[in-house]
Amino acid sequence: MKSLLIIEAKNSPEFLERLLRVCRHRGFTTTNINAETGNSQQTLHITITVVSERNISLLTKQIEKIIGVKQVATLRQEKNIKATA
Amino acid sequence: MNGANFVVHALKEQNVTQVFGYPGGAIMPLYDALYDGGVEHLLCRHEQGAAMAAIGYARATGKVGVCIATSGPGATNLITGLADALLDSIPIIAITGQVPTNLIGTDAFQEIDVFGLSLACTKHSFMVQSADQLGPIIEQAFEIATTGRPGPVLIDLPKDIQIGPSVAHTLAKLVHSNNYLDNRLIAQAKLMIESSNKPLLYVGGGVGMANAVGELRDFIEQTRIPSVCTLKAIGCIPHHSPYFMGMVGMHGSKASNLAIQECDLLIAIGARFDDRVTGKLDEFAPNAKVIHLDVDAAEIDKLRQVTLSMTDDLKQVLPAITIKPNITPWKKHIATMKAKHVSRYDHPGEPIFAPALLRQLAQSIPGDTVICSDVGQHQMWVAQHMFVDRPENHITSSGLGTMGFGIPAAVGAQVARPNDMVIAISGDGSFMMNVQELGTIKRKKLPIKILLIDNQRLGMVRQWQELFFNGRYSETILTDNPDFVTLASAFDIPGETIETKSQISQALQRLLTSEGPYLLHVSISEAENVWPLVPPGAPNDKMMESIE
Ligand SMILES: Cc1ncc(C[n+]2csc(CCOP(=O)(O)OP(=O)(O)O)c2C)c(N)n1
Ligand SMILES: [Mg+2]
């Protein structure tokens, strides 16, 4: 099942590494990702598409625990998600 | 004040009085600052030992444990300790030296991407990039390690920042807002408890971590609901509590495992449905609705879908949901099961029966003794047959199951609680995994009592080979072990070997009354197994109790 997540986090050099590691380890394959810093460079805006047999809430709850994450929103669309990237 | 002196100053501000570690090039400025900085440092003989001593210190006291290592090999040697602390939710801070900022990424001498390595084995990690970050990072590190679900935090500290000037930092006054419980959930939980006929508490390590042992005991006292606990929760419930059945899971008591399968309401408190507890997950507590109380929202519905959950502080939740259900027949049934399935200590012949030995030891030690066990059959025997009166007194590697944990954890516990007796209970395999820490015991003259249960085997693996691999004993036979008593004596630790039942009483006496450290080396038969056992993939009521 495919899911699209929108994540807002405090910008840090390793944030994407943390995020991608959590996705992989918790059983989700990343098929698309886009990350941009806002104007202030303080915040990272990420859209990420992941695929897994597992329930997406198992992943979002883990992402919410990464220090620096401000918001995680799930847009689930099972068949064809158009990544906003 | 340079950065290194600042670190020592900041540690003191966090009430750190004791750290464990091992020096080296990239951390030398910090060791220079520690030289007369007013924080006690204990040199362990391997960084893994330092990390596990920090864990033992943290677990014996509830305070934060701190360990320090140099860059490269020093830092990589910490990794197993960090992983151990992560899986058992233990608040420790690891400070690792790093090559100077301008050399990072150049494959400099002893440069390894420790920050990268830390991502999978810490709750959080920091790389200090400039002096002004140091104060805020140390402050945040302690905050993160201790709040919510506790865990290990790593601070990677380049050498130039240790040497360079520091930037003053004032600690923020932390305001922890009071949580308001959701009254609707409280009412629903109480209704579920009240209307249940067969409720059961499944108590996990989170209770001790939340400092909620008192609240749990009050809850049990008032509701009289029967209970079981996990390996990490041993000590939370008084062992003589009438409806407490001991540990649940793979090597849990028969009464516990049967009760779980029969209950109609399972109240999981600071527990996480680990596979060693649940056995076959779809058949775990098959008739039960579940109330899950855990501070970590990611644990809710992770493995078991629950009816009701709350992630608030257990200290608040437990009193709020206290209600006494009318469950007399269930309590009677539990009492009958408990009586029917008590452990038996009769055992033929003269060879020592480890469960009986451990039972006798538990009955002979002072109240506030800390037991640090290693990993294997002996660990399970300790969990099954000894008893302690608070979770700080039973320190074992639960989530990671790390052989070599027992001796360094005992070092940390003894340093933390110099006036209490600390007993390390190890196996012949595990003992050799951090045997260098005997050097730390000698250095600090720690009066640790070591009970080494020697079956000349990697016993737990041997047991599985016997039961599930047709007795093909691949690499588990340790008949070439060293002479352990001689080995200990090289570290000025006196000791003796016993092998028959008649020797036990006097040997325990010598162990427990020795002034300093002591090794009691106990030879047992390699054929002893840990029972009961829920075989892999089986539900918890399909326990094996002997070789069929
Ligand atoms: C670091 C590490 N390596 C391997 C294992 C796998 N393992 C689990 S128990 C065990 C045997 C332990 O032997 P010993 O310490 O003698 O204890 P016994 O089971 O004989 O009581 C092994 C090898 C482990 N848990 N940890
Ligand atoms: Mg052994």
Side-chain angles (χ1 to χ4, degrees):
Chain A
M1 200 182 299
K2 250 187 194 177
S3 305
L4 174 65
L5 303 181
I6 299 181
I7 298 164
E8 204 181 289
K10 183 166 177 277
N11 190 14
S12 68
E14 82 288 1
F15 185 79
L16 285 179
E17 241 176 302
R18 291 191 192 276
L19 175 66
L20 291 171
R21 192 198 74 77
V22 168
C23 292
R24 171 188 53 75
H25 174 223
R26 298 293 170 178
F28 292 77
T29 307
T30 302
T31 57
N32 196 313
I33 183 166
N34 180 63
E36 281 168 28
T37 52
N39 289 342
S40 62
Q41 304 283 309
Q42 300 275 308
T43 306
L44 257 181
H45 300 276
I46 298 164
T47 55
I48 181 168
T49 309
V50 292
V51 180
S52 177
E53 291 303 307
R54 297 186 182 181
N55 190 316
I56 190 66
S57 69
L58 291 174
L59 178 62
T60 52
K61 284 184 196 168
Q62 295 294 345
I63 293 175
E64 280 160 7
K65 287 206 298 183
I66 302 175
I67 308 290
V69 168
K70 297 174 186 164
Q71 232 182 57
V72 183
T74 312
L75 304 181
R76 169 175 293 181
Q77 216 175 347
E78 298 185 9
K79 284 192 193 114
N80 37 19
I81 291 171
K82 257 214 213 138
T84 52
Chain B
M1 192 190 289
N2 69 13
N5 295 122
F6 179 86
V7 171
V8 175
H9 162 77
L11 289 176
K12 286 196 279 193
E13 275 198 329
Q14 296 288 345
N15 300 318
V16 173
T17 53
Q18 175 73 52
V19 298
F20 304 88
Y22 207 101
I27 197 74
M28 281 183 68
L30 182 55
Y31 272 82
D32 190 59
L34 282 167
Y35 189 64
D36 51 7
V39 171
E40 265 312 301
H41 177 278
L42 178 56
L43 180 76
C44 296
R45 292 310 183 91
H46 187 293
E47 291 83 356
Q48 182 178 121
M52 290 175 183
I55 293 173
Y57 181 91
R59 293 183 67 161
T61 56
K63 298 203 294 192
V64 177
V66 177
C67 56
I68 300 175
T70 191
S71 67
T76 56
N77 275 348
L78 286 181
I79 296 290
T80 305
L82 294 172
D84 192 275
L86 183 70
L87 285 197
D88 279 344
S89 309
I90 307 302
I92 63 167
I93 306 268
I95 301 174
T96 48
Q98 184 52 281
V99 302
T101 320
N102 63 332
L103 288 183
I104 293 177
T106 66
D107 307 315
F109 177 64
Q110 295 192 328
E111 189 210 352
I112 200 82
D113 177 16
V114 172
F115 185 69
L117 284 170
S118 74
L119 298 182
C121 62
T122 59
K123 180 175 176 188
H124 193 62
S125 43
F126 294 94
M127 159 73 87
V128 186
Q129 285 167 319
S130 55
D132 61 311
Q133 292 181 341
L134 201 46
I137 282 179
I138 294 175
E139 185 177 355
Q140 277 179 60
F142 277 84
E143 167 83 2
I144 292 168
T146 51
T147 52
R149 179 177 182 164
V153 177
L154 177 130
I155 302 173
D156 203 27
L157 182 56
K159 193 171 184 179
D160 52 319
I161 295 173
Q162 297 174 52
I163 299 167
S166 64
V167 178
H169 173 70
T170 339
L171 284 185
K173 281 261 175 304
L174 290 178
V175 265
H176 286 288
S177 54
N178 242 346
N179 249 3
Y180 292 101
L181 300 176
D182 184 334
N183 284 329
R184 226 172 15 103
L185 290 176
I186 296 289
Q188 200 188 333
K190 285 171 104 167
L191 191 66
M192 285 171 73
I193 294 171
E194 212 179 5
S195 55
S196 145
N197 294 317
K198 300 175 178 181
L200 185 68
L201 308 182
Y202 152 37
V203 174
V207 172
M209 302 311 298
N211 222 346
V213 171
E215 285 76 7
L216 175 76
R217 291 180 179 190
D218 287 345
F219 182 85
I220 291 176
E221 187 65 33
Q222 289 178 45
T223 63
R224 315 296 278 177
I225 299 177
S227 54
V228 302
C229 76
T230 65
L231 179 60
K232 202 179 159 221
I234 286 174
C236 288
I237 307 170
H239 72 280
H240 48 73
S241 187
Y243 306 110
F244 172 54
M245 288 163 284
M247 188 168 72
V248 65
M250 181 172 276
H251 290 296
S253 71
K254 192 164 181 184
S256 289
N257 283 333
L258 293 176
I260 284 262
Q261 297 310 87
E262 288 178 33
C263 72
D264 67 2
L265 175 66
L266 188 67
I267 308 175
I269 310 175
R272 58 185 176 85
F273 296 87
D274 180 271
D275 54 284
R276 279 289 192 271
V277 163
T278 63
K280 190 172 185 206
L281 186 62
D282 337 330
E283 290 177 40
F284 178 72
N287 310 314
K289 290 184 180 161
V290 176
I291 295 178
H292 195 175
L293 311 175
D294 198 293
V295 72
D296 183 357
E299 290 302 338
I300 310 295
D301 292 333
K302 184 179 83 175
L303 291 158
R304 172 73 179 239
Q305 300 298 308
V306 304
T307 316
L308 185 151
S309 64
M310 295 180 76
T311 53
D312 307 273
D313 184 355
L314 290 176
K315 285 176 92 69
Q316 284 181 277
V317 177
L318 287 171
I321 63 168
T322 300
I323 188 161
K324 189 174 179 180
N326 195 344
I327 50 170
T328 310
W330 174 237
K331 284 189 296 191
K332 265 202 184 137
H333 177 60
I334 293 287
T336 313
M337 279 209 292
K338 195 178 156 180
K340 186 170 164 199
H341 301 298
V342 286
S343 301
R344 302 196 42 175
Y345 297 103
D346 46 325
H347 177 265
E350 264 305 284
I352 291 171
F353 182 47
L357 168 81
L358 292 169
R359 190 74 180 180
Q360 189 174 341
L361 176 64
Q363 286 159 345
S364 320
I365 54 182
D368 239 343
T369 300
V370 183
I371 305 293
C372 297
S373 61
D374 237 303
V375 171
Q377 293 179 310
H378 63 281
Q379 175 191 33
M380 292 299 113
W381 286 323
V382 169
Q384 293 173 330
H385 306 291
M386 291 191 75
F387 42 82
V388 298
D389 46 17
R390 53 191 186 108
E392 292 89 340
N393 290 351
H394 180 258
I395 301 179
T396 197
S397 171
S398 306
L400 196 67
T402 316
M403 284 174 70
F405 177 85
I407 303 292
V411 166
Q414 185 74 81
V415 169
R417 289 169 48 184
N419 299 323
D420 289 328
M421 183 180 287
V422 174
I423 306 181
I425 301 179
S426 190
D428 50 317
S430 298
F431 185 74
M432 292 293 283
M433 275 218 181
N434 271 318
V435 71
Q436 79 286 345
E437 296 310 322
L438 297 183
T440 314
I441 293 175
K442 175 178 176 188
R443 182 181 185 85
K444 185 82 179 169
K445 300 190 172 58
L446 298 171
I448 295 172
K449 318 297 177 218
I450 304 172
L451 182 72
L452 176 51
I453 299 185
D454 181 2
N455 49 11
Q456 299 195 16
R457 295 295 182 278
L458 295 174
M460 186 56 94
V461 181
R462 189 214 71 89
Q463 176 169 351
W464 279 53
Q465 289 171 334
E466 180 179 18
L467 299 176
F468 311 120
F469 290 87
N470 299 319
R472 291 157 56 86
Y473 298 116
S474 179
E475 298 292 352
T476 51
I477 298 173
L478 302 182
T479 42
D480 51 358
N481 274 326
D483 175 338
F484 289 112
V485 173
T486 304
L487 179 61
S489 75
F491 293 92
D492 293 346
I493 301 174
E496 64 183 298
T497 297
I498 59 171
E499 50 198 13
T500 62
K501 290 191 174 88
S502 56
Q503 295 173 298
I504 290 177
S505 289
Q506 292 200 345
L508 284 183
Q509 178 81 7
R510 284 188 289 274
L511 174 77
L512 299 178
T513 55
S514 70
E515 279 267 314
Y518 197 86
L519 173 75
L520 178 56
H521 170 239
V522 183
S523 279
I524 65 164
S525 157
E526 76 277 8
E528 292 294 347
N529 285 327
V530 182
W531 306 117
L533 174 139
V534 178
N540 275 357
D541 50 356
K542 301 279 180 297
M543 280 162 281
M544 296 173 67
E545 291 174 90
S546 62
I547 294 170
E548 278 120 23

